[in-house]
Amino acid sequence: MAEEILLDVQHLTHVFPLNRRMSVRAVDDVSFQIRRGEIFGLVGESGSGKSTAARCVMNLYRPRSGRILYKGIDTCDAAAFRANRRMLQTTRQLIFQDTSSSLNQRMRVWDIITEPLRIQRVVPPRGSLRAEAAFQMHYVGLDESFLDKYPPELSGGQRQRVAIARALAMEPELLVADEPIASLDVSIQAQIVNLFKHLQQEHGFSFLFIAHDLAMVEFLCDRVGVMYRGRLVETAPTAELFSNPLHPYTRALLSAIPIPDPRRERSRQLVTFHGEDLPPGGALREAGPDHFVLRSSGSGED
Amino acid sequence: MKERFEIVGIRPLPDPPVRKRKWHEGKPLLSAGVLALIVLGCLLLPLMGTRDPSYMDLTRCSVPPGKAFLFGTDAMGRDVFSMIWYGGRLSLFIGVAAALLSAAIAILFGAASGCAPAWLDGLLMRLTEILLSVPNLLVVVLLQAVLGKASPLSIALVIGVTSWTGMAKIVRTEVRQIRASEYVLASRCMGGGFFHILWRHLTPNFVSSIMFMAVMNVRSAIVAESTLSFMGIGLPVEVVTWGSMLSLSEKALLSGAWWIILIPGGFLVAALLCITSLGSCLRRNINRRENNLY
Ligand SMILES: Nc1ncnc2c1ncn2[C@@H]1O[C@H](COP(=O)(O)OP(=O)(O)OP(=O)(O)O)[C@@H](O)[C@H]1O
Ligand SMILES: [Mg+2]
C-alpha cells in the first residue's frame, strides 16, 4: 500500500451550541489519517460523533478547532479552499446516512445521479448524461427502469443505491460513506461491500467508512478508529484491533458481537463500559505498530 | 464484478381494473373556456374588423347598443365593442406583467432572506413588514409621481413592485425549511451555487405554494389597475383599458347609459371569476400531492 497520506485530520473539535449556557462537544480532539487507497472504518455507538466528523471532513460544518488536510491542503482555511474549490468538490464525495432526506423528492433518479456532473459541467464520458446515469445505476445493481422514478417511489435500499451511484458519478478519490449500508438487507449489503472493495482494489478509491456493523468493518476496512462520546479512543489496523483491543470501550464493543455458536455464545462475557471510566483529557499514545490508544495523561499501562 | 449483481428492475403487473377518471373531471372547463375566449378575442382583435377604439365621433355619442355599434358608444363617441378588446389586451397585459414581476421579486427576495444568516433575515423581514403596513395606495401614488406620466408598463411596474411582500414571506418560510435538508447540503457539497440550488432544489418545492398566489396576483393587479384608473390616478382616459372605461361611469350613470358601465364591468368580472376559479382548482390539485411511501 502506498504510504501517501490522503486525508489528515488533526485535533478536530466541533461544538454544537444548544443554548446560551450549554453546548455539545460532538467531536472532541479527534485525529486520524487516511492513506491513499485505504479504507478507514469509523465505529462507535449512536451519537458518538461519527457523522459530525464526516461532515467536518466534507466542509459542511466549520470545526471549532483543529485542521483537516486533504492532499496537504487545509480545507478549513477559506482562502485555500477557494483556490482548490473544484478539486475539493470533485474528488471528495459524501454518501449521507439518511437517504429519505438526502435525495430531492422532486427530482427524477437520473437527474439526481447526474447532478454533480451538471454542477461541475463535466462532459459525460459515456455520451449523454442519461447514459451516464444508466451506467452508474447498473454499477450499483439497479435496472434502467428506475431512471425516471422519483425517490419516494423507491424502497429504502434502492434509494441508498441511488445515493451511492450519485457519489460514484464523479469518480472521486475519497468517498466518505456515512453508514451507507445500514438500511440495506444482508445480501445487498454484501454486494455493496464487495463493490466498495472492488472500487478500492481496481480504482484505488479511498474510503472513510462509517458503520455500526462490526462484522462488515472487519471484512472491509484496513484500519479502524473507535469513537466514544466524541473522542477517538483507539485506532489500529483491523486485524490488530479485533485480536488485541486495548481500550476498555473497544473491548466492551467487541464483546457485544454475537458468536454464531450457541454454546460459546451462552458463555460469552459481556464487558460493560461506563462513561465515568473515560477520564477527560488524555491523548493518543502509540501502543504498538500503527496502534494508538487514548490514555489519560496520569495512568500508565492498562 | 458487475455480473455478480442481480439487476433488479420493475416487473410489469397487470393493471388492476380501476375506473378511469374522465379527462375533464374536476377541471374548471367553463372558466378555462370563457377565459380562453376573452384572451383570444383580445389577441386576435385586428382580425375581427374592429374600429379604431380611440376614434371619437362626437356626432354619435352615447348611442345604445344596436346594429351599427354592437355594444353602443360611450360619452365621447368611441365604439365600446372595439374598446373592450383593445382595453382587455392592456388590462390582461398589466395583470400578467405585474404578477410575473412580483413573483420574480418575491422569489429572489424570499430566497435571499431564507438563506441569509439570522440577523440579515430578520432585517429583511422587518423591511417587508414595513412595506406591508404602509397602505399600498400611498406607495403607488408616490411611485406614480416619481415615474411621471403613467403608461401601461409603468402601471404594471408600480403594481408589481407593491404586491410581492406576502409571497416573499411564504417563499422565505419554505426556503428556511428546505435549506437545512440534506439534499441541499449534498448539492452544496458537490459545488452547487446559490442559483443552482435556488433553481433546482428550492423553486420546485415552493412553486406549488406560490402558484395560487401568483394567479391571484394577476387578478388583483387587474383590479388595482381598474381602481387606480377609476380614481383617476391610473392611466389617462385616452389609453383604453377596462379600468379606464369604468372611470367614465359616473357620467354614464347620470345619463342612464348602462352599457358604458355594465359591458366593461361584465367583462372584467367574468375574467376575474375565471382566473379565481382556475387558481383555486390549481390549489386543490397541488394539495392532492402524490403520497409517499416511507
Ligand atoms: N445539528 C445539531 N445540533 C445540535 N446537536 C447535534 C447536531 N447534530 C448532532 N448533534 C449532536 O452531536 C452528537 C453526535 O452526533 P452524530 O450525528 O455525529 O452522531 P453519530 O455518531 O453519527 O450517531 P449515529 O450512529 O446514530 O448516526 C449527538 O450527541 C447529537 O445529539
Ligand atoms: Mg450518524
Side-chain angles (χ1 to χ4, degrees):
Chain A
M1 195 186 299
E3 282 299 291
E4 184 197 343
I5 289 173
L6 188 63
L7 180 78
D8 189 358
V9 177
Q10 297 172 356
H11 305 288
L12 179 69
T13 303
H14 187 74
V15 180
F16 286 112
L18 290 184
N19 50 36
R20 253 161 234 250
R21 297 265 193 83
M22 301 214 291
S23 55
V24 182
R25 283 181 100 80
V27 175
D28 189 3
D29 195 17
V30 164
S31 307
F32 60 87
Q33 281 142 14
I34 298 179
R35 298 173 193 139
R36 188 181 282 283
E38 179 185 58
I39 302 186
F40 184 82
L42 207 52
V43 297
E45 64 185 15
S46 193
S48 55
K50 307 182 295 293
S51 299
T52 310
R55 286 172 177 217
C56 288
V57 167
M58 292 303 292
N59 286 91
L60 286 176
Y61 295 150
R62 173 175 285 274
R64 159 81 56 99
S65 65
R67 295 207 309 163
I68 299 170
L69 299 179
Y70 175 77
K71 293 188 180 175
I73 297 158
D74 186 354
T75 59
C76 300
D77 180 43
F81 183 85
R82 261 199 304 280
N84 299 282
R85 178 197 298 264
R86 194 180 151 86
M87 187 277 280
L88 290 171
Q89 284 167 348
T90 52
T91 63
R92 304 177 305 166
Q93 292 293 324
L94 175 63
I95 301 170
F96 280 87
Q97 183 168 9
D98 179 11
T99 49
S100 59
S101 59
S102 69
L103 306 177
N104 187 344
Q105 293 183 28
R106 288 164 191 277
M107 278 165 77
R108 291 174 193 279
V109 162
W110 79 274
D111 257 343
I112 293 175
I113 294 178
T114 53
E115 190 189 350
L117 299 176
R118 267 176 233 259
I119 291 177
Q120 301 291 348
R121 300 209 175 76
V122 175
V123 181
R126 272 160 280 274
S128 66
L129 285 172
R130 217 182 144 80
E132 185 67 30
F135 174 84
Q136 297 296 348
M137 301 248 301
H138 260 273
Y139 216 75
V140 294
L142 286 178
D143 186 75
E144 286 180 19
S145 56
F146 287 114
L147 278 177
D148 286 314
K149 297 260 162 211
Y150 290 94
E153 299 166 339
L154 306 183
S155 77
Q158 289 162 349
R159 277 204 297 263
Q160 189 58 270
R161 291 197 254 176
V162 171
I164 294 172
R166 172 173 68 180
L168 295 183
M170 287 306 290
E171 306 193 343
E173 289 170 45
L174 176 70
L175 204 55
V176 178
D178 191 354
E179 302 193 21
I181 55 174
S183 66
L184 303 175
D185 64 78
V186 181
S187 67
I188 308 292
Q189 275 190 359
Q191 289 181 4
I192 295 293
V193 165
N194 282 330
L195 172 68
F196 284 175
K197 205 83 188 164
H198 165 81
L199 289 173
Q200 176 205 18
Q201 282 161 1
E202 304 295 319
H203 302 277
F205 283 26
S206 314
F207 285 83
L208 174 57
F209 183 82
I210 297 173
H212 278 131
D213 186 343
L214 291 172
M216 282 300 171
V217 169
E218 188 173 10
F219 170 73
L220 182 66
C221 298
D222 301 308
R223 285 192 311 131
V224 184
V226 181
M227 280 190 76
Y228 180 71
R229 299 206 177 170
R231 319 217 39 191
L232 194 68
V233 296
E234 187 163 358
T235 117
T238 311
E240 166 81 5
L241 187 94
F242 278 78
S243 62
N244 182 23
L246 290 181
H247 196 274
Y249 176 69
T250 316
R251 284 190 196 150
L253 199 66
L254 293 183
S255 79
I257 303 176
I259 306 166
D261 173 357
R263 216 164 310 154
R264 283 205 294 146
E265 165 72 21
R266 224 166 292 144
S267 61
R268 177 163 62 102
Q269 289 279 310
L270 258 183
V271 184
T272 51
F273 182 77
H274 303 288
E276 304 84 62
D277 299 352
L278 185 73
L284 286 176
R285 301 277 170 76
E286 186 149 17
D290 214 10
H291 188 162
F292 296 85
V293 188
L294 183 72
R295 292 255 161 73
S296 60
S297 24
S299 75
E301 284 298 300
D302 204 38
Chain B
M1 179 64 217
K2 268 174 280 165
E3 304 80 73
R4 254 190 275 159
F5 280 105
E6 182 202 345
I7 304 287
V8 299
I10 295 166
R11 257 169 275 120
L13 282 175
D15 283 329
V18 279
R19 197 180 69 85
K20 267 201 173 168
R21 282 162 56 91
K22 295 225 176 62
W23 65 273
H24 55 78
E25 259 177 67
K27 297 205 172 82
L29 275 194
L30 186 68
S31 310
V34 172
L35 195 64
L37 268 183
I38 296 178
V39 171
L40 277 182
C42 294
L43 290 181
L44 303 178
L45 62 113
L47 300 180
M48 302 200 303
T50 48
R51 287 167 238 247
D52 179 5
S54 51
Y55 175 68
M56 298 182 197
D57 188 351
L58 290 178
T59 57
R60 285 187 285 185
C61 37
S62 302
V63 177
K67 273 258 160 51
F69 297 100
L70 219 48
F71 289 167
T73 60
D74 71 353
M76 287 182 276
R78 296 180 296 183
D79 176 27
V80 175
F81 183 75
S82 2
M83 285 168 79
I84 285 286
W85 303 115
Y86 275 99
R89 205 186 221 191
L90 275 188
S91 281
L92 291 177
F93 163 77
I94 290 174
V96 171
L100 283 182
L101 182 67
S102 68
I105 299 179
I107 290 178
L108 279 181
F109 194 91
S113 177
C115 295
W119 63 270
L120 188 58
D121 175 48
L123 195 75
L124 292 177
M125 281 299 115
R126 289 304 86 74
L127 203 75
T128 61
E129 269 149 36
I130 291 171
L131 269 182
L132 262 178
S133 59
V134 175
N136 258 353
L137 208 55
L138 216 64
V139 183
V140 169
V141 173
L142 193 80
L143 280 177
Q144 286 278 27
V146 173
L147 285 178
K149 199 163 153 47
S151 72
L153 207 61
S154 79
I155 285 275
L157 194 77
V158 165
I159 296 173
V161 163
T162 52
S163 61
W164 53 271
T165 41
M167 208 193 265
K169 274 190 164 312
I170 292 185
V171 170
R172 175 253 175 199
T173 315
E174 296 263 336
V175 166
R176 278 208 103 70
Q177 273 172 16
I178 308 164
R179 69 159 195 172
S181 68
E182 288 190 336
Y183 60 81
V184 173
L185 283 185
S187 191
R188 269 229 303 270
C189 222
M190 294 181 263
F194 175 76
F195 283 99
H196 171 87
I197 290 176
L198 177 63
W199 185 242
R200 304 282 307 184
H201 295 294
L202 302 180
T203 315
N205 277 295
F206 60 63
V207 81
S208 53
S209 40
I210 62 167
M211 205 57 182
F212 173 72
M213 287 195 88
V215 171
M216 288 302 131
N217 268 355
V218 175
R219 185 192 66 167
S220 32
I222 294 176
V223 173
E225 184 269 320
S226 308
T227 317
L228 290 177
S229 300
F230 180 78
M231 292 189 305
I233 47 177
L235 293 169
V237 191
E238 319 84 80
V239 182
V240 181
T241 67
W242 290 342
S244 67
M245 288 169 80
L246 284 175
S247 68
L248 297 174
S249 54
E250 312 126 81
K251 277 179 229 132
L253 262 182
L254 293 178
S255 63
W258 54 269
W259 59 92
I260 298 179
I261 315 164
L262 282 194
I263 290 174
F267 268 86
L268 185 63
V269 169
L272 296 185
L273 275 180
C274 293
I275 293 176
T276 311
S277 126
L278 283 183
S280 31
C281 164
L282 210 68
R283 178 159 64 173
R284 242 178 297 132
N285 278 345
I286 283 156
N287 284 346
R288 204 188 320 128
R289 275 178 207 160
E290 68 272 43
N291 70 331
N292 306 326
L293 357 125
Y294 266 85

